[in-house]
Amino acid sequence: MQDNDFKHEHELKFWAGKVKKEKTLKGRSYYEKFYINDFNFTHDDYAGKRILDIGCGPRGSLEWADMADFRVGLDPLINEYFKLNGGTLFHKMHYVRAYSEDMPFPDETFDFVFSINSLDHVDDLDETVSEMKRVLKVGGICGIIVDTNHKPTPTEPITINLDLKDKFLDVFELIEERVYETAYKTGFRDNLDDPTFYDFENDEERPAILFLKFRKAKKYEEKIDKRATTDADTFNKLFEENKKLKKENGELKKELKAFKNRKVVRIVDKFK
């Protein structure tokens, strides 16, 4: 798949702005609320399980899941995130640089597959949905929270409708569906912390936040012959690129220690 340079440029510009404002990209408590509060799970539910976050970004979205057997963040910009600030290098999770449309995982690898505020960022929605069905174990949980009914933007080129669930029902069974108004312009999280349920009697065209929670009811057979037949016993080999990047950027750790305030401009200069 060819890189979408225009979209990637805007994605990195967004995160660079976050780095400048926040000084770091750690987000343990921020993301934990999605997986525990919003999806109504306990930490015990994730104990010994394998978790995938699609379109994870650089903030350490699964750092909170110390009880999990394996926690993986998938994003095509992982290399760039490692260089953006440095904190991403030391998160307690695995990162895999890959597209959601062609995930480098064996069939039925994960117990939980999540897409939180990322499904409208993908290049091909149907291909991504197909892969989500494939990599989730039978009986596993898929969770989605996504902006819908918005106009395409450079970073969110996919316009998702409120009937998104229909794309999953051939393999998944719906556990829960919620739709919220975007009452707050201050952020995605604020709309979930103080939700206003969507008024379906109001026919005005407007964005909404869609929450979906599925369970995989049966094995997904479609297009399996096109996927890599990776041996599940050699799962760790999938992260060799991640290990290589950490080694290559080892000097970055010294830079972070040298500058207590983690001045991003001085770190980024090292990669020019």
Side-chain angles (χ1 to χ4, degrees), residues 12 16 20 37-38 58 65 84 119 126 150 154 171 178-179 182 188 225 229 240 253 267:
L12 289 171
K20 183 176 181 180
N37 297 2
D38 295 319
L84 186 64
L119 205 54
D126 288 335
H150 64 71
V171 176
R178 301 196 299 268
V179 186
T182 55
F188 193 81
D225 59 325
T229 56
E240 288 303 316
K253 188 174 182 180
I267 297 172

Side-chain angles (χ1 to χ4, degrees), residues 82-120:
F82 283 157
K83 299 174 183 179
L84 186 64
N85 172 271
T88 306
L89 282 168
F90 312 108
H91 291 155
K92 297 177 181 178
M93 57 183 286
H94 287 282
Y95 285 103
V96 173
R97 181 181 182 269
Y99 287 92
S100 59
E101 294 87 353
D102 192 10
M103 301 186 202
F105 308 123
D107 303 334
E108 300 191 30
T109 294
F110 296 97
D111 303 283
F112 292 91
V113 170
F114 292 99
S115 172
I116 297 175
N117 197 19
S118 65
L119 205 54
D120 52 343

Side-chain angles (χ1 to χ4, degrees), residues 118-145:
S118 65
L119 205 54
D120 52 343
H121 291 245
V122 305
D123 294 329
D124 189 308
L125 179 60
D126 288 335
E127 287 292 312
T128 297
V129 170
S130 176
E131 283 289 80
M132 293 170 75
K133 296 172 185 176
R134 184 183 67 81
V135 301
L136 184 63
K137 294 179 181 179
V138 173
I141 298 296
C142 174
I144 297 168
I145 307 177

